[in-house]
Amino acid sequence: MDSGNVAWILASSALVCMMIPALALFYGGMVGSRRILNMMMMCFGGASLVAVLWALFGYSMAFGNSVGGLGLIGDVTEFPGMGQMMAKDDSASIPIILFAAFQLFFACVTTALVAGAAAGRMKFGAWMLFAGIWATIVYFPIAHWVFAFDSADGSTVGGWIANGIKAIDFAGGTAVHMNAGAAALALALVLGKSSGWPKMEHTKPHSRPLVLVGAGLLWVGWFGFNAGSALSAGQSASVVFLNTAVAASAGLLAWALVERVRHGAATSMGAASGLISALVAITPACGAVSPLGAVAIGAIAGAVCSLAIELKFRLGFDDSLDVVGVHLVGGILGTLLIGLFATDAAPNAVSGLFYGGGFELLGVQALATVTVLVYSFGVTWVLAKVLDKAMGGLRIKPEDEMRGIDLAAHSELAYLTDEDPVELGSPQRV
């Protein structure tokens, strides 16, 4: 055991865990004042359910020995309950149970991201059922494809993307962000548009300061997300840490510049969104590019995603909190741009087109991208359709949607006034 590595991954795990409440704040500020509690509960509830499933069988599905050696899914019977992982292994740099805890929060955050597409109009019980099944049949398999590597001695076979085609995804551009974005698009299409969409006074962002606070905390948490994925406290983590910082900054500036040119003002919402879009894009690429490449990827993501969020109006789908425009598009950009900006001087030690590597890496990255998108969107759409039929609809009543979902779903309001009714599920407060 290396105590420095253990300490770093413990800290990184805590940072990734912090991304769950940070995302709840970020999403919560972007919805109406009578939708914030539900939005935050969807983040906390979905993440908590997935954490339990991870302990029961999710880790085995994601990181167990690949069934039949096909690289498609891990053996669900290998680590049931994770009890056998408590035994000490002095040959490992960090305990396997610590790695499992670190990856647990990846699963939690990914599921919470999808909630943004259903803001204010999905039954809470339906969301919880959806989140648990979605993690099981979509996230866990894709995590196996991307994150599970063959063991050095050949005793454990990992996923086909990581080991077969050897696509690069340092911390989750495909498994996390593209996956969540494609699932969000499928769920949004099945749910349909919010009442009054796109001109909805009752759904306008109620607290831009909360959005900025959430984005800032996400930025801090992202250092654990990306640099922690080096799984050691050394050179690789240091390069990734710097790349994450400069890419995020470039993304914020690029989005602000596009807004200033197109609309005459750089907004706080745009700044927060530019920051997040660049963090999404640098996630798969953070170990493959130089700091200059990270700036380029961040700036491209900030500029392109600022335009991509308008797709929902052009194509007519209600992606309430721009999960598609930011996470899907940003994830695609970051994954593909590895094929251009990767340098063999970076920790991943491969070269892209701009560094003499030719088109091969770009082709591999494109194959991984298309496969994850098709699987995530297709399976999520079928799942949402089946649940919609089985549960008599995924959406809340139209009148509850118009007045705000918080009181109907949770019997409480975030901000009470003298005109509001007493909360249904709690004693009257003086």
Side-chain angles (χ1 to χ4, degrees), residues 280-297:
V280 169
I282 198 59
T283 293
C286 56
V289 301
S290 68
L292 185 60
V295 169
I297 289 174

Side-chain angles (χ1 to χ4, degrees), residues 9-94:
I9 304 307
L10 284 168
S12 295
S13 299
L15 287 171
V16 182
C17 180
M18 186 185 71
M19 295 175 74
I20 299 167
L23 181 66
L25 288 171
F26 180 70
Y27 276 174
M30 293 174 70
V31 299
S33 61
R34 290 171 179 257
R35 291 177 158 201
I36 178 175
L37 295 180
N38 176 255
M39 190 68 259
M40 298 182 81
M41 281 291 289
M42 290 177 80
C43 292
F44 281 106
S48 298
L49 175 60
V50 170
V52 173
L53 297 180
W54 185 259
L56 294 176
F57 57 81
Y59 178 80
S60 288
M61 289 183 67
F63 291 98
N65 194 19
S66 189
V67 176
L70 300 175
L72 298 177
I73 193 69
D75 183 358
V76 73
T77 67
E78 189 168 354
F79 303 105
M82 300 169 69
Q84 62 272 55
M85 297 168 63
M86 293 191 294
K88 186 178 180 182
D89 180 6
D90 290 326
S91 67
S93 175
I94 63 171

Side-chain angles (χ1 to χ4, degrees), residues 224-270:
F225 201 84
N226 285 1
S229 293
L231 299 180
S232 64
Q235 181 69 19
S236 293
S238 302
V239 171
V240 169
F241 199 102
L242 177 61
N243 283 347
T244 301
V246 297
S249 302
L252 186 152
L253 296 174
W255 191 304
L257 178 60
V258 171
E259 274 195 325
R260 181 67 178 84
V261 171
R262 297 186 70 212
H263 306 297
T267 67
S268 60
M269 289 283 286

